[in-house]
Amino acid sequence: MTFDLSVITDHWRFLAYGIGVTVALAAASGAASLALGFVVALARLFGPRWAKHAVVLYIDSMRAVPLLVVLVWTFFALPILTGLTMRPFAAALIGLTVHLAAYAAEIYRAGIESVRPGQTRASLALGMSRAQILRRIVLPQALVRMLPAFGSLLSVTIKDTAIASVIAVPELMRQSETLAGQSFQPIEVYSFAMLAYFLILFPVTRGVDRLYRHVAHLGRS
Amino acid sequence: MSRRAKENGAKIIRYRGVTKRYGAFEALSGVDLDVHAGEVVCLIGPSGSGKSTLLRCTNALETIDGGEIEFEGAQLPRVERTLREVRRRMGMVFQSFELFPHLTALHNVAEAPRTVLKARRAEAEDRARAMLAKVGLSDKASNYPAALSGGQQQRVAIARALAMEPDVMLFDEPTSALDPETIGEVLSVMKALADEGMTMVVVTHEMTFARRVGDWVAVFDAGRIVEQGPPRQIFDAPTTERTRDFLSHLGWHGATL
Amino acid sequence: MNFDWSVVGAHRDALAAAAGTTVLLTVTTMAIAVPCGILVASVRLYAWAPLRAIATAYVELFRNLPLILVVYWAFYVLPIATDLRLSPFATGLAALALNVTAYNAETFRAGIGSIRRGQLEAAMALGMSRAQAVRRIVLPQAVRRILPVLASTWVSLFKDTSLVSVIAVTELAYVAMQIRAQTFRVLEMLTAMAAIYWLLGYPQAKLVDWIQRRYAVTE
């Protein structure tokens, strides 16, 4: 079995483009899901009862349905319902955001709930408004605890971008598939893909491990 | 019984020039101490002075780097299996109780007799009940540790150690993690044990206990024993500056009994 | 826009069989990944240094790769590396098992490591051997912490079985999308696929919640 790396070097631009799309998709859906997740978490914690139920249903549904199904449905079925055509990247962005926001919302909720209720009581006694309490007292304390979990979510986000390959988004996984098919050298190409993903993800998971250790001693405030 | 009388008894534990290092830090720098049968030896001194370290070296939870420790006439073995046999003859009570949270009080006390001494279940549970009665907790036998107060948990821990019928009991700051109200109940159990003639080595900050119940007190500082003697000497007429400093920092101004 | 939902009913047998394959994949993968995970965790905790390094490398590798890539890689590389001609199902199973074993190993290792050292010391101070102490005192407590995480991994695995559809394993995602291609009923079939996953997955998610509540650790 010969290992011919020329297929990689000859097409490095093609593969680099894929890496670029991977990073862009991860960053965009990561940011969007952080924002959407925050709104959802607030709705669950402070919203009216119907909102709470709706949010719980949404979150549990995202835990039950695979991301592949969400992406495929968003790309192929949603346009039929809405009449809008969608480019693969957009569909992937929407699907990933909606799916990840559910997890982000849970992280926000857990972080906020982990701050001792006494903190809120003391702040109310001082005459602060709920919004002020959240912004100035609870969130700053909660943020530190949430960091490791968000780090994990980032790692998951990057890995999940690879699933967007099934709806033809030209990220790294898709580019690798295409190149492997055309060159008949799947071993070299997929091995390269594995190396690339590993090099991107390893620093993230390592960083998360360090964060978890750093935060572990905090426990409850 | 005074120390003098006990001095004629067997030396249960002998520490000779015991040294222990953690990396560059020397936790114990040549400790010499004797513990006689039936004696209560109290180790006092500032935090980090090596008292707990010495205790943990005694039942080989930590290994020493120099000197020797003799238990009942023989050096502490190095082979794990023989070491285990030695550990059976020593009972240890921890500052953080370390009860097994997934077992009831009764099973906590019966666990070691069953697992280590291979006692039959009924026999082990009978012995456990007796030990729990001894520490005054018969009615808590089927409670889990989470449902017990700190003082109660520590008493169960003492019962657990006693169930193995040890020759010596090692106490590592047994009341340091307790609320003031519950310290008394644990110290009472310890005093009763001492009155029965149990050999005890106690690391403690409870000076009144050391003064009343102890037969011999050793004052630690920076890995060494700076002074040792009967409680009368240590507390009423200390002979070294370090001892005087330590006691005055604790607000000890002579016996208040 | 006309919808023909009868196409779902017409293919209900195929869909049911496919759902069965999904469940079979999940169960079989876990049946392999739990004992293997325990093995790897034990190596990482107790074995000789070079073996520990290999186990750690294995875990770190699979924590840092997308599963879909592992599936493709297994499909193309496994036949050449092992000279075996594996069915798509077996290949998919291998990829899933390799992945989940790594996660389980981490779960077991962290679970056991989370038990306070003092518990082990108290047990040994009573004269128990290290093995006895681990078996009777550390492990029972570790199981309480491990179970909720394992349950969560199970549900993730259930969803991840959809990824082996890319190598034509006849589980739910693949079969549903095949029917879509044959009947051109895109919205109906894709919605039905999502609905079936939802019906199977929602109760599992709720079960995980219950397990996490019941085994919440209070010290």
Side-chain angles (χ1 to χ4, degrees):
Chain A
M1 182 180 94
T2 50
F3 207 76
D4 175 22
L5 281 175
S6 64
V7 66
I8 309 292
T9 48
D10 289 343
H11 299 95
W12 72 268
R13 263 208 196 83
F14 186 68
L15 292 169
Y17 181 75
I19 295 178
V21 174
T22 294
V23 172
L25 187 56
S29 56
S33 60
L34 277 181
L36 179 59
F38 187 60
V39 172
V40 169
L42 288 182
R44 180 169 182 174
L45 286 169
F46 304 117
R49 267 183 94 208
W50 64 264
K52 283 198 229 278
H53 288 307
V55 164
V56 172
L57 186 65
Y58 155 65
I59 292 177
D60 286 337
S61 301
M62 287 300 126
R63 289 166 70 199
V65 177
L67 177 61
L68 180 134
V69 172
V70 172
L71 288 178
V72 166
W73 195 91
T74 308
F75 185 60
F76 292 111
L78 189 58
I80 297 179
L81 263 184
T82 60
L84 297 164
T85 49
M86 218 184 291
R87 287 185 28 225
F89 189 92
L93 183 57
I94 294 174
L96 271 166
T97 300
V98 168
H99 188 85
L100 293 167
Y103 291 96
E106 285 295 85
I107 295 174
Y108 282 119
R109 184 175 74 98
I112 290 174
E113 284 182 349
S114 77
V115 179
R116 269 207 327 225
Q119 297 283 299
T120 307
R121 283 201 287 268
S123 312
L124 283 170
L126 287 166
M128 291 170 80
S129 74
R130 287 243 172 223
Q132 283 175 321
I133 296 175
L134 188 66
R135 209 174 60 242
R136 300 184 64 83
I137 307 296
V138 172
L139 270 182
Q141 294 187 51
L143 233 47
V144 180
R145 292 150 216 266
M146 296 194 260
L147 276 178
F150 278 131
S152 267
L153 196 58
L154 176 63
S155 181
V156 168
T157 305
I158 297 172
K159 286 188 260 188
D160 280 352
T161 58
I163 303 178
S165 60
V166 303
I167 57 172
V169 176
E171 43 68 59
L172 179 58
M173 183 72 242
R174 180 66 175 196
Q175 301 295 77
S176 305
E177 267 180 81
T178 309
L179 186 58
Q182 284 175 358
S183 67
F184 297 103
Q185 290 180 273
I187 297 180
E188 287 89 334
V189 176
Y190 286 125
S191 298
F192 170 79
M194 286 178 104
L195 182 65
Y197 274 111
F198 186 81
L199 289 176
I200 296 173
L201 283 163
F202 189 68
V204 177
T205 41
R206 258 283 184 256
V208 170
D209 284 343
R210 305 254 295 283
L211 272 176
Y212 265 116
R213 268 200 296 275
H214 190 66
V215 166
H217 70 277
L218 279 179
R220 291 184 70 100
S221 55
Chain B
M1 207 200 292
S2 74
R3 218 271 163 148
R4 215 153 282 183
K6 288 176 185 166
E7 245 166 21
N8 298 324
K11 289 197 176 61
I12 298 282
I13 308 177
R14 285 186 53 172
Y15 302 94
R16 284 285 171 277
V18 175
T19 325
K20 169 81 190 159
R21 272 181 291 276
Y22 292 105
F25 171 64
E26 208 165 58
L28 293 171
S29 314
V31 171
D32 293 314
L33 180 63
D34 287 335
V35 179
H36 298 87
E39 246 186 347
V40 176
V41 175
C42 291
L43 310 181
I44 66 175
S47 300
S49 53
K51 331 184 280 296
S52 290
T53 310
L54 187 72
L55 214 65
R56 294 155 65 81
C57 291
T58 309
N59 69 347
L61 285 178
E62 312 260 9
T63 46
I64 57 178
D65 296 314
E68 49 185 58
I69 300 180
E70 267 182 33
F71 176 64
E72 294 180 343
Q75 278 206 44
L76 286 185
R78 279 190 217 291
V79 176
E80 185 67 20
R81 182 171 288 150
T82 1
L83 199 46
R84 279 208 301 275
E85 314 242 333
V86 169
R87 285 198 189 119
R88 290 178 200 174
R89 303 210 297 277
M90 301 189 205
M92 187 169 229
V93 177
F94 297 82
Q95 179 176 346
S96 51
F97 333 136
E98 295 303 345
L99 287 185
F100 306 134
H102 59 299
L103 301 174
T104 60
L106 184 75
H107 289 133
N108 255 280
V109 180
E111 176 68 10
R114 278 191 70 193
T115 311
V116 178
L117 300 177
K118 312 288 187 209
R120 267 204 294 270
R121 203 164 79 104
E123 197 190 311
E125 289 189 4
D126 283 341
R127 197 198 293 204
R129 260 181 265 274
M131 290 301 117
L132 283 174
K134 195 179 168 83
V135 300
L137 287 172
S138 300
D139 55 329
K140 299 287 183 196
S142 26
N143 286 77
Y144 283 91
L148 301 174
S149 74
Q152 289 168 335
Q153 288 189 53
Q154 193 63 301
R155 284 191 277 155
V156 174
I158 295 175
R160 180 176 67 177
L162 288 175
M164 296 295 283
E165 296 184 343
D167 296 328
V168 62
M169 285 284 280
L170 309 171
F171 290 85
D172 191 356
E173 299 204 31
T175 57
S176 294
L178 294 177
D179 289 331
E181 310 96 61
T182 48
I183 290 180
E185 66 196 51
V186 174
L187 292 180
S188 303
V189 169
M190 288 168 68
K191 179 171 192 313
L193 219 51
D195 290 340
E196 285 173 16
M198 172 65 79
T199 312
M200 294 162 55
V201 182
V202 184
V203 174
T204 186
H205 292 295
E206 293 292 321
M207 298 304 150
T208 318
F209 176 84
R211 176 76 174 75
R212 281 175 81 186
V213 184
D215 296 307
W216 194 256
V217 177
V219 184
F220 273 76
D221 188 44
R224 294 201 150 80
I225 296 181
V226 295
E227 184 172 353
Q228 51 177 303
R232 226 177 197 114
Q233 170 197 324
I234 301 295
F235 291 108
D236 297 344
T239 61
T240 64
E241 194 62 41
R242 286 308 281 116
T243 313
R244 276 195 285 271
D245 276 343
F246 172 65
L247 290 174
S248 71
H249 270 134
L250 285 186
W252 177 269
H253 299 296
T256 41
L257 301 168
Chain C
M1 224 166 44
N2 64 319
F3 297 129
D4 175 18
W5 296 93
S6 68
V7 66
V8 179
H11 290 89
R12 66 176 175 279
D13 288 336
L15 287 170
T21 308
T22 292
V23 173
L24 181 64
L25 265 173
T26 310
V27 171
T28 321
T29 303
M30 258 312 183
I32 299 173
V34 167
C36 287
I38 293 176
L39 186 64
V40 176
S42 305
V43 171
R44 283 191 78 183
L45 283 170
Y46 304 123
W48 188 40
L51 284 177
R52 282 212 308 269
I54 295 175
T56 304
Y58 162 72
V59 171
E60 286 301 306
L61 180 67
F62 282 92
R63 281 177 73 196
N64 289 297
L65 291 176
L67 180 51
I68 192 172
L69 175 56
V70 175
V71 170
Y72 274 116
W73 191 86
F75 188 69
Y76 287 105
V77 177
L78 233 47
I80 300 177
T82 60
D83 254 349
L84 290 167
R85 287 248 147 260
L86 289 174
S87 68
F89 183 90
T91 310
L93 182 62
L96 286 168
L98 277 171
N99 183 276
V100 179
T101 297
Y103 282 100
N104 281 353
E106 188 57 20
T107 304
F108 292 126
R109 189 187 68 90
I112 292 176
S114 73
I115 306 301
R116 271 205 321 259
R117 219 187 119 83
Q119 289 287 299
L120 191 65
E121 286 182 350
M124 287 177 70
L126 286 163
M128 287 192 218
S129 71
R130 188 171 260 270
Q132 282 174 324
V134 169
R135 209 175 60 237
R136 295 192 65 91
I137 304 302
V138 175
L139 276 182
Q141 296 184 55
V143 165
R144 283 188 75 95
R145 284 155 218 253
I146 287 172
L147 220 51
V149 183
L150 219 55
S152 181
T153 304
W154 169 281
V155 177
S156 289
L157 169 60
F158 171 75
K159 294 194 292 176
D160 284 342
T161 56
S162 60
L163 295 178
V164 303
S165 60
V166 300
I167 56 171
V169 177
T170 54
E171 45 69 62
L172 184 54
Y174 180 76
V175 168
M177 293 202 278
Q178 285 290 84
I179 300 174
R180 167 198 66 162
Q182 286 163 5
T183 64
F184 299 101
R185 301 272 98 193
V186 176
L187 181 69
E188 294 89 328
M189 282 316 302
L190 292 183
T191 307
M193 173 173 71
I196 298 176
Y197 270 110
W198 191 93
L199 282 170
L200 291 173
Y202 197 89
Q204 293 183 57
K206 283 317 199 184
L207 189 63
V208 170
D209 281 343
W210 177 83
I211 290 178
Q212 276 171 347
R213 265 198 308 272
R214 193 172 176 298
Y215 286 92
V217 174
T218 44
E219 277 199 31

